Amino acid sequence: MTIYTDIEFNDSQRQHLREVAGEDVVYFADPGSPSLQDKEAFLKAEIAFGSCPPEWLPLTRDLRWMQFDSVGFGEYTHVDWDELGTRLTCTNLRGFFAMPVAETVLGGILTLYRGIDKLLKLKASRSWKKLELRPQLLHLTEAKVIILGYGATGKKVHSLLGPFGCTVIPVGKSEQPPDVKGVNELDRFLPLADIIVAALPDTPETRGLFGEQRFMLVKKGTIFVN
């Protein structure tokens, strides 16, 4: 069996992967710019791990499993999956980055609410302007937050906001739990939001979900986290 990967592994990681693969062949492609040789190796592989050029997938005949190195798969949405689906299984890293992304979301919100971005600039200039800055600072406590997309990341953001006493309005697919609102209800909640967190995958259904008309419904000062 041939395993193809275009992940940037270090030497010890490559050696570990070879040991785990045993007698199977592991081909390490250039993660930055795949070559013709890389393409030929991919077309002979039964397993692939990484993010191959989307146009390569329809050319494969031996590939049985494609493991993406990301949660998102937007660049592959135009692939004819009806043809490939009968012989190829594709999986992503769903949930893998939920905690680090959620913590970054929380860190970004607190940075803006507590003026940490401004404080860093003031520190660099050795300026002491607490009286000017203090009226601009906000409290996350009891803020109204819309979480748009209630997958692993959206749920983790919700859990981190819990101790702050925020009013959280999850918006997602209709088959999700009863407290999750459908996207068709989004417009009536937008004017209430202090913070909007868009934790959505890149798909044809989500592209263009927010345009000028929807942003016009958002009140001045609302934070939009994409």
Side-chain angles (χ1 to χ4, degrees):
M1 181 183 295
T2 299
I3 302 170
Y4 173 98
T5 179
D6 57 11
I7 305 297
E8 190 170 354
F9 292 117
N10 60 36
D11 290 340
S12 63
Q13 290 168 336
R14 289 190 176 204
Q15 181 59 33
H16 179 67
L17 186 53
R18 290 191 185 99
E19 292 172 356
V20 171
E23 297 180 357
D24 295 326
V25 176
V26 182
Y27 180 91
F28 296 95
D30 184 347
S33 53
S35 64
L36 181 59
Q37 182 179 349
D38 294 339
K39 180 179 179 181
E40 292 173 352
F42 177 82
L43 296 181
K44 295 176 182 177
E46 288 87 7
I47 296 174
F49 178 33
S51 298
C52 75
E55 61 270 18
W56 288 7
L57 279 176
L59 304 177
T60 61
R61 294 294 176 266
D62 299 322
L63 194 65
R64 295 295 176 265
W65 177 29
M66 177 76 189
Q67 170 64 56
F68 298 129
D69 61 345
S70 62
V71 177
F73 47 87
E75 62 268 41
Y76 298 95
T77 54
H78 68 277
V79 174
D80 186 355
W81 292 107
D82 291 335
E83 177 187 350
L84 293 172
T86 57
R87 60 179 176 81
L88 176 62
T89 297
C90 291
T91 51
N92 67 346
L93 293 179
R94 180 179 181 182
F96 189 82
F97 301 107
M99 180 56 82
V101 171
E103 290 186 357
T104 301
V105 168
L106 182 60
I109 292 171
L110 286 172
T111 294
L112 295 174
Y113 263 42
R114 302 307 305 156
I116 296 172
D117 55 329
K118 296 182 177 70
L119 288 169
L120 287 173
K121 293 178 181 178
L122 291 172
K123 178 184 177 183
S125 63
R126 303 180 67 85
S127 300
W128 182 250
K129 297 184 178 180
K130 67 175 183 178
L131 295 180
E132 295 93 327
L133 183 60
R134 188 173 290 162
Q136 303 173 34
L137 303 183
L138 301 170
H139 297 287
L140 179 55
T141 303
E142 298 183 356
K144 295 180 177 62
V145 184
I146 291 176
I147 299 179
L148 185 55
Y150 206 57
T153 299
K155 291 173 182 175
K156 189 59 68 176
V157 171
H158 192 167
S159 70
L160 293 182
L161 291 173
F164 291 91
C166 296
T167 298
V168 177
I169 305 170
V171 177
K173 294 181 178 179
S174 57
E175 64 267 20
Q176 289 182 325
D179 60 329
V180 178
K181 312 300 180 183
V183 175
N184 59 318
E185 301 178 84
L186 177 61
D187 288 354
R188 72 184 179 96
F189 291 112
L190 287 177
L192 307 175
D194 300 305
I195 300 165
I196 301 167
V197 179
L200 295 165
D202 176 22
T203 67
E205 290 75 24
T206 62
R207 290 172 198 158
L209 185 63
F210 264 85
E212 183 178 0
Q213 290 185 333
R214 279 212 160 100
F215 278 118
M216 289 293 288
L217 298 174
V218 177
K219 67 184 180 183
K220 184 178 180 180
T222 295
I223 294 176
F224 186 87
V225 184
N226 188 22

